[in-house]
Amino acid sequence: MLLRVHPADDLIVVLQDFPAGAEVCLEGQKWTLREAIAAKHKFAARDFHVGDLVTMYGVTVGRAMQAIPAGGRVHTHNLKHEAASFSGKRQSLVWTPPEVSRWQGRTFQGYRRSQGPAGTANYWLVIPLVFCENRNLGFMREALTRALGYGQSTAYERYAQHLADGFRQGKRGAEMDGPGLDEMAQPSPLFPNVSGVKFLEHGLGCGGTREDAVALCHLLAGYMAHPNTAGVTVLSLGCQHAQVSLLEESLARFHPNFDKPLHVFEQQKSASERDMMAKAIRTTFDGVAKAGEQVRVPCPVTDLVVGMECGGSDGFSGISANPVMGHVSDLLSALGAAPVLAEFPELCGVEQSLCDRCVTEELADRFVHLMRAYEGRAQACGSGFDANPSPGNIRDGLITDAMKSAGAAKKGGTGPIVDVLDYGEPVRKRGGLTLYCTPGNDVESTTALAGGGCNLMVFSTGLGTPTGNPVCPTLKVATNSRLMKRMGDILDFDSGPVITGEKSVAEMGEELLELCLATAGGEFVPKAVALGQDDFLPWKRGVSL
């Protein structure tokens, strides 16, 4: 099984393992493979000379470092990163939206807010303004989580407790066998209409630069105003760079009509730590009880703000999962919702096509400015976007950043780009794609997407990663069925039928949209949510690829 992704490509993707000497053919062309080639990897469709540009997805993805014969395996020993230049001058976009009549008028059961989009969940947040408050944050987590019935005691913890109890009873060996890991029940919450109390522990707020403190406050303000947030408790030491006043400035700038319950406790102004903690716990308890009065109601699809993310990508990501997610992006755009594409280091080499999709010259100019500023910072530190691919990416067929980027960009579909935002800015526009400046690191990026207001995220992976978010439900999409079978305990959706040819990208995109609606309405619980995978990693705006 072979695939030429784009008619202009001179790389062929191998969809199954082939031994050395295998004779293969595609579209009337025949090759003899010079060496064994594993699934997800590529071979040359023609002879390459040293210095020749190499094309995949219809764009430049590298330059040959040595002669590569037709049928020769392409990898890091003979191909280096090279991306096409771009002017940023956009060409007019002619877009034919997909057929969406079957979803017109559809709703999901969400939490309606006084302003902005509805929530797909209903959380109370406890936020430290500085790492000095992390110990107190931990005390509040211990005090409230189990008392309110949100304790995420893991299956492993419960199993270990079962073994310990058996040992105390004098049992040994097979006598200690008991219920399996999946047969032990989770506790029930005291307030079932509240999705949980989440604690955003981080290591910032002081030290570093003032720019770090400002960026942190922008991010935290986004979480406070998030559609899935019912109310907030803030812990402040008092003397840190990330002052309460700085947080208030971020709220006033980006969320001027913020009206959710907000309770701030500053330790250096308190009678004692015990006094502050008692007040913070009591106030939070009362806030959660009040938030529990809110119920899910029908909300329009236009309230969906969906972040498109990838992590642990492989050679199938840009062929199956990402195009499937891209079709979801186009369906959401056509329905008047808001798909969001981030990870700017993973848009390297496709800048011009994205500029062409921008609805105004100003948006194209801003995208170019953000990309070049980001790349400039990386180069100033002796790095660059070319350093983005991880060892796992390379091992599974993503040889250069341009190759990885061309596949990653597929998550954004083909529709118009209606906005371009920097880190910490809220998503506002509907009916098209928003580009959001974040690192390529998946947790830094998902943290930022939620801070921008995404109330749902869809995350593709080919290697398998458990990434989740404290406030935003995250659906995990496997690029291949083998991965889904092996790691189905942390994944939610299998796009593997695209690889085998059993289903089309459009068919799987429609299925994934239905799963998005079920998740938004609380009918489906993603594995990352069920497992309590609350990844939160603010970006310090230094070099992170």
Side-chain angles (χ1 to χ4, degrees), residues 137-158:
L137 186 82
F139 287 149
M140 288 192 67
R141 181 190 294 115
E142 292 173 9
L144 289 167
T145 303
R146 295 197 188 281
L148 298 181
Y150 298 113
Q152 284 280 7
S153 61
T154 68
Y156 311 114
E157 180 184 348
R158 296 192 298 274

Side-chain angles (χ1 to χ4, degrees), residues 372-396:
R372 287 180 171 158
Y374 198 153
E375 172 78 348
R377 280 192 174 194
Q379 291 175 344
C381 294
S383 187
F385 286 168
D386 60 301
N388 172 270
S390 71
N393 295 152
I394 295 169
R395 184 177 61 247
D396 270 49

Side-chain angles (χ1 to χ4, degrees), residues 487-502:
M487 301 187 72
D489 53 345
I490 65 170
L491 304 174
D492 303 294
F493 186 87
D494 180 15
S495 66
V498 171
I499 298 295
T500 60
E502 298 169 74

Side-chain angles (χ1 to χ4, degrees), residues 10 46-55 60-69 77-83:
D10 41 31
R46 64 175 180 86
D47 292 334
F48 288 101
H49 302 290
V50 176
D52 282 355
L53 294 177
V54 178
T55 301
T60 299
V61 297
R63 186 183 294 275
M65 295 189 293
Q66 56 184 252
I68 309 172
H77 67 288
N78 56 18
L79 185 72
K80 66 177 181 179
H81 170 81
E82 183 84 21

Side-chain angles (χ1 to χ4, degrees), residues 144-458:
L144 289 167
T145 303
R146 295 197 188 281
L148 298 181
Y150 298 113
Q152 284 280 7
S153 61
T154 68
Y156 311 114
E157 180 184 348
R158 296 192 298 274
Y159 184 59
Q161 185 62 55
H162 163 76
L163 295 176
D165 291 343
F167 189 88
R168 291 189 184 98
Q169 296 165 13
K171 296 179 181 179
R172 298 293 185 271
E175 295 178 328
M176 300 174 70
D177 291 344
L181 296 179
D182 296 330
E183 298 172 12
M184 301 179 183
Q186 292 278 3
S188 299
L190 180 61
F191 305 109
N193 290 329
V194 178
S195 308
V197 181
K198 296 298 183 178
F199 302 83
L200 305 187
E201 183 172 344
H202 60 83
L204 301 178
C206 205
T209 67
R210 293 303 173 96
E211 182 187 25
D212 293 337
V214 170
L216 175 65
C217 287
H218 289 351
L219 178 72
L220 296 180
Y223 274 77
M224 294 163 66
H226 194 279
N228 294 352
T229 299
V232 189
T233 300
V234 173
L235 301 181
S236 171
L237 178 60
C239 58
Q240 72 275 355
H241 282 170
Q243 288 283 297
V244 172
S245 59
L246 202 59
L247 181 64
E248 291 171 341
E249 289 174 12
S250 294
L251 280 172
R253 175 180 173 184
F254 294 121
H255 312 281
N257 299 316
F258 178 83
D259 61 356
K260 296 177 181 179
L262 171 60
H263 309 285
V264 179
F265 297 90
E266 192 155 285
Q267 188 167 1
Q268 291 172 349
K269 292 181 179 179
S270 300
S272 67
E273 181 177 282
R274 288 173 63 97
D275 178 68
M276 181 189 80
M277 291 295 288
K279 291 177 180 177
I281 291 171
R282 175 57 189 270
T283 302
T284 301
F285 183 94
D286 292 344
V288 174
K290 183 66 176 177
E293 298 174 5
Q294 194 163 10
V295 298
R296 290 184 182 268
V297 297
C299 299
V301 174
T302 52
D303 273 356
L304 289 179
V305 185
V306 184
M308 299 295 175
E309 179 70 25
C310 59
S313 298
D314 71 348
F316 285 162
S317 293
I319 298 169
S320 58
N322 291 350
V324 167
M325 291 164 59
H327 190 62
V328 174
S329 291
D330 286 344
L331 292 170
L332 291 169
S333 293
L335 287 164
V340 186
L341 179 66
E343 301 178 289
F344 274 27
E346 296 178 14
L347 301 178
C348 177
V350 294
E351 295 96 338
Q352 188 58 53
S353 64
L354 292 173
C355 288
D356 292 343
R357 291 167 56 188
C358 290
V359 296
T360 67
E361 290 286 354
E362 291 75 18
L363 289 177
D365 289 344
R366 190 173 200 217
F367 173 58
V368 170
H369 169 74
L370 289 172
M371 283 291 287
R372 287 180 171 158
Y374 198 153
E375 172 78 348
R377 280 192 174 194
Q379 291 175 344
C381 294
S383 187
F385 286 168
D386 60 301
N388 172 270
S390 71
N393 295 152
I394 295 169
R395 184 177 61 247
D396 270 49
L398 297 179
I399 305 164
T400 69
D401 184 54
M403 184 182 294
K404 182 179 179 180
S405 294
K410 295 292 183 181
K411 303 190 301 290
T414 60
I417 293 170
V418 297
D419 211 354
V420 177
L421 299 177
D422 198 2
Y423 184 83
E425 295 179 340
V427 177
R428 301 289 193 201
K429 302 290 182 67
R430 301 288 185 274
L433 182 69
T434 292
L435 298 181
Y436 204 92
C437 184
T438 76
N441 175 285
D442 49 1
V443 177
E444 286 178 314
S445 185
T446 53
T447 298
L449 284 169
C454 291
N455 53 14
L456 183 66
M457 282 189 278
V458 184

